Amino acid sequence: MTLPNHHAGHRSQVVVGTHPDGFSGCVPAIMDDMGGLWAPFAAGLFGMCGGWWVRRMVRSGAHRRYADEVAAPTYAPWWPPVWGAGLCALSWWRLVAGNEGFTVGVTLMLPAYLWLAAVDLDVHRLPDVVTVPLFPVVTVWTAGLAWWGGDGDRWRRALLAGVLVSVFFVALHLVSRRQLGWGDVKLSGPLGMLLGWSSWTAVWVGVYAMFVCGGLAAGWLIVRRRAGRRSRIAFGPAMALGAWIGVFLT
């Protein structure tokens, strides 16, 4: 905007504002910048609240169903709020560009995976009440994303990836003489679909990262003398984290 200066001997202009579109164009630009900062913050806040819910549910012991589990000391993990906040914020920051629906779904499902990880660490079991519905839920959700975006090929790739990853884990279950539990097999399908929705590269990276995370966790427990070579180690947390790494990096 320019204003005339009548006190000078000639007509001059005073420039107000520096944005090319003036003040009206500067406001949306500022709001866009704030939106880019506030969205990951809001996602992190959601993840932290979900983590606190996970901590409260695990501490209640409602997931325990056997006598030895019920008699065990109360388990109140500190990490779900921290990991929930960090993973949700990073997911929104990394995945949102052109994938709003996928990013929202990943963010909303993270508390469920945190709960599975916490339960698995406590009782070495992944409850069917969550693992069984995950496959149809992820299938329907990705189908809706494909229908909305007109991307049927991507959905078919996700479905095929979920089936292939499930078959791979079934084979591991049989070869390992059931050291890899059925809960891990049931969890592998929906994680494979999430990876397949991103890309085939995400599938390879994610599955590989699952076993790397599992190996590192086992090595850490052995070094701290909290587990032996034949000890059963919760693999669910490594699966969830590895799948997130595959989606995040690719």
Side-chain angles (χ1 to χ4, degrees), residues 6 12 17 25 41 53 57 65 78 98 117 125 132 135 145 147 149 195 198 200 207 209 223 226 245:
H6 299 288
S12 64
F41 175 80
W53 173 82
M57 290 297 295
R65 65 184 186 186
W78 60 268
R125 187 179 69 251
V132 172
F135 211 142
L145 290 180
W147 174 79
L195 292 167
S198 297
W200 282 116
V207 173
V223 169
R226 297 182 61 182
I245 291 173

Side-chain angles (χ1 to χ4, degrees), residues 63-74:
H63 59 281
R64 296 176 174 179
R65 65 184 186 186
Y66 299 112
D68 55 339
E69 295 176 356
V70 174
T74 302

Side-chain angles (χ1 to χ4, degrees), residues 178-190:
R178 300 185 179 182
Q179 292 296 316
L180 186 74
W182 268 118
D184 300 322
V185 174
K186 296 171 187 175
L187 182 62
S188 65

Side-chain angles (χ1 to χ4, degrees), residues 3 12 25 41 53 62 97 99 126 132 149 175 188 197 211 220 228 249-250:
L3 298 176
S12 64
F41 175 80
W53 173 82
N99 296 286
L126 295 169
V132 172
V175 170
S188 65
W197 179 266
F211 291 94
W220 174 250
L249 293 182
T250 58

Side-chain angles (χ1 to χ4, degrees), residues 83 87 191 195 202-214 235-250:
W83 280 83
L87 293 179
L191 292 179
L195 292 167
V203 176
W204 313 132
V205 172
V207 173
Y208 181 74
M210 293 178 189
F211 291 94
V212 171
C213 292
F235 193 50
M239 291 178 64
L241 181 59
W244 184 87
I245 291 173
V247 172
F248 181 82
L249 293 182
T250 58

Side-chain angles (χ1 to χ4, degrees), residues 96-122:
V96 70
N99 296 286
E100 289 81 2
F102 182 70
T103 305
V104 170
V106 169
T107 303
L108 292 178
M109 284 189 293
L110 270 172
Y113 286 108
L114 287 175
W115 182 78
L116 286 173
V119 170
D120 199 14
L121 288 172
D122 185 27

Side-chain angles (χ1 to χ4, degrees), residues 29-42 89 92-93 96:
I30 295 175
M31 294 302 294
D32 289 343
D33 292 339
M34 291 181 63
L37 295 175
W38 279 106
F41 175 80
W92 195 272
W93 170 72
V96 70

